[in-house]
Amino acid sequence: MYKTVILPLAKEDIKSTAKWYNKQQKGLGKRFTKEVRKKVAHISKNPENIVTRYRDVKTAIVDVFPYMIHFIVDQENKTIIISAVFAMAQSPQNWNAREQD
């Protein structure tokens, strides 16, 4: 099993999305967060089974919600580094702009 590190911007993605979902329906943000945690646990057990999408960045779709977790795998340190949690409908330019920060 790999260690998981969620970068601050990814934590903010999760927090702001959960807040948005809670405005739509009470408790939905908590459900979103739970699904993200489940997917992160899956990633940490099986990172090699997930397809690389951009250069060395892999993505995994959150079950039930239309969001993708973006991460890289540091094989040497057995670490998953989560850099973003984006809505699948968001423009790829958001990822490109963020990658340059």
Side-chain angles (χ1 to χ4, degrees), residues 28-98:
L28 198 54
K30 186 175 183 176
R31 184 171 173 210
F32 170 76
T33 303
K34 179 181 175 185
E35 291 298 330
V36 169
R37 281 193 203 116
K38 280 175 42 180
K39 185 56 73 171
V40 168
H42 172 76
I43 292 167
S44 70
K45 292 176 189 167
N46 308 296
E48 64 282 344
N49 292 342
I50 298 171
V51 177
T52 301
R53 187 163 176 123
Y54 318 99
R55 289 181 251 156
D56 60 345
V57 177
K58 294 178 176 270
T59 60
I61 298 172
V62 177
D63 295 334
V64 184
F65 294 90
Y67 279 77
M68 292 176 88
I69 298 171
H70 297 249
F71 65 97
I72 61 170
V73 180
D74 178 349
Q75 291 289 354
E76 186 176 324
N77 296 306
K78 296 287 189 198
T79 304
I80 304 295
I81 302 166
I82 298 174
S83 54
V85 180
F86 277 157
M88 293 185 336
Q90 282 184 292
S91 169
Q93 281 83 22
N94 290 343
W95 174 254
N96 292 334
R98 193 152 169 178

